[in-house]
Amino acid sequence: MSTASTTTESDRDQRTGVYVYGIVTADVEPEPHAQGVGDPPAEIAVVRHGDIAALVSEVTLDRPLGMPDDLTAHARLLDGTAAVAPVLPLQFGGVVTDTEAVEKELLAPNHDQFRSALDDLEGRAQYVIRGRYTENTVLQEILDENADAARLRAEIRDKPEDATRNARIELGEIINREIEAKRAADTRRVAAALRDLDPTVRERQPTHEEEAVHLAVLLDLSREDDLLQALTELGEEWDGRVRLNLLGPMAPYDFVTVGETPG
C-alpha cells in the first residue's frame, strides 16, 4: 500500500538558495575554515566559469537575511579574500536559485567585464582612514581663531539657557561651519601625505559631527607598511588634536561593487 506524497509547510520553509559573496579569479580556493552566512555558518564553495569564479554558500530561505552575524560573515569572507587575492564584492543579500544560475546568469554574461576589473585590482585592497577631533582641543581652536565665536562664548558664559538661546544657536552654527572647514582642510592634508603611495582615494561622508577625516584608499598591499608610517607621522603631528584609526585590508567596497544578483 502506498501513500501520496505531500509537501508540508515545514518542507517549504526549508527551501534553499545560493548566496553569492563576490567574484574572484578562477584559481582561488576558499580556506578550509572559511564560513559564510547562516546558523550554523555555511561552508563556502566556488562556482567557476572561464577565468572567473563566484564565492558562494547554500542558505535556507526560512529566515530573512540581515542579522548582525550575517553582515559580519559577509564582510569577513570578502575582507579575508581581499588580503590574498583580488575580489569584486557583491552587495549584501544576493541570493539566486542554484549554482547553475550563478554561472549562466551572473558569471557568463559578465565574464570579460569581471575579468578586467579583477586584473585592475591585482595586488591591491581597500583601507579606511578615520580621524576624530578631540572635542575640547578643536573647540579651543575655533574660539582662538574666530572672534565671533569667542564673543558669543563669553556672552553666554554663566547665564541661563533661556536668556541666551539665540546666542547659543548662533555659536553652534559657527562651530559647525568651522568644523566642516577644518574637516575639508584636514582631509586634504591626509590625502597629500599619502600621495607618494600612489593610492586611489575616495572621500566618505562623515558619520559623526566631530569626524576629522573619513577616507577610503585603494592601495597596493605591498605599501601597507608605508601607509602605517605616513599615518603614524600624521598622528604625531596631530597629537592631542585628532585620533587616527586605520581599517583594512578589506574588499574594495568603495571602488568596485557588483550590483544586484540576477533574480
Side-chain angles (χ1 to χ4, degrees), residues 133 141 145 177-193 203 211-213 215 234 237-238 241-242:
Y133 289 118
E141 273 187 25
E145 297 166 359
R177 287 197 303 269
E178 290 295 314
I179 287 180
E180 287 180 4
K182 288 180 179 296
R183 180 185 299 126
D186 290 334
T187 296
R188 290 193 297 270
R189 174 74 182 88
V190 173
E203 186 172 346
E211 196 151 66
V213 180
L215 289 176
L234 270 176
E237 177 184 323
W238 284 341
R241 178 176 181 267
V242 176

Side-chain angles (χ1 to χ4, degrees), residues 127-132 213 215 231 242-247:
Y127 297 83
V128 172
I129 301 166
R130 302 188 72 166
R132 178 76 65 86
V213 180
L215 289 176
L231 293 180
V242 176
R243 298 184 298 274
L244 286 172
N245 290 293
L246 177 66
L247 301 174

Side-chain angles (χ1 to χ4, degrees), residues 33-239:
H33 61 272
Q35 295 180 325
V37 301
D39 184 17
E43 181 179 346
I44 302 301
V46 179
V47 178
R48 294 180 173 85
H49 178 84
D51 295 330
I52 63 173
L55 298 174
V56 304
S57 68
E58 187 176 272
V59 290
T60 59
L61 304 180
D62 60 342
R63 70 176 182 91
L65 294 169
M67 302 296 290
D69 287 348
D70 296 334
L71 295 165
T72 299
H74 180 90
R76 183 172 54 231
L77 178 69
L78 290 171
D79 295 346
T81 302
V84 296
V87 58
L88 308 178
L90 263 75
Q91 295 176 0
F92 175 80
V95 178
V96 297
T97 53
D98 51 33
T99 56
E100 183 178 1
V102 174
E103 181 178 6
K104 293 186 175 181
E105 299 176 30
L106 178 63
L107 298 180
N110 301 290
H111 180 277
D112 293 347
Q113 177 187 350
F114 289 165
R115 177 73 241 199
S116 178
L118 289 167
D119 287 343
D120 291 342
L121 289 171
E122 183 64 43
R124 311 178 84 192
Q126 176 171 315
Y127 297 83
V128 172
I129 301 166
R130 302 188 72 166
R132 178 76 65 86
Y133 289 118
T134 303
E135 180 179 6
N136 292 336
T137 301
V138 74
L139 178 58
Q140 190 59 54
E141 273 187 25
I142 293 170
L143 294 175
D144 291 343
E145 297 166 359
N146 189 297
D148 287 337
R151 173 183 57 79
L152 289 164
R153 179 65 179 268
E155 182 180 320
I156 66 177
R157 182 178 290 118
D158 300 326
K159 293 181 180 177
E161 286 191 23
D162 290 345
T164 56
R165 182 175 181 275
N166 290 338
R168 290 175 186 274
I169 291 173
E170 185 178 355
L171 177 58
E173 291 173 345
I174 292 174
I175 290 172
N176 287 338
R177 287 197 303 269
E178 290 295 314
I179 287 180
E180 287 180 4
K182 288 180 179 296
R183 180 185 299 126
D186 290 334
T187 296
R188 290 193 297 270
R189 174 74 182 88
V190 173
L194 304 181
R195 193 170 295 131
D196 289 345
L197 305 183
D198 193 27
T200 303
V201 178
R202 296 280 187 273
E203 186 172 346
R204 286 181 157 193
Q205 291 298 311
T207 59
H208 190 277
E209 60 185 4
E210 292 169 7
E211 196 151 66
V213 180
H214 196 187
L215 289 176
V217 178
L218 188 66
L219 186 74
D220 287 354
L221 287 161
S222 62
R223 306 302 301 271
E224 182 174 313
D225 288 345
D226 298 327
L227 174 61
L228 287 168
Q229 180 61 34
L231 293 180
T232 297
E233 293 173 3
L234 270 176
E236 292 171 353
E237 177 184 323
W238 284 341
D239 185 34

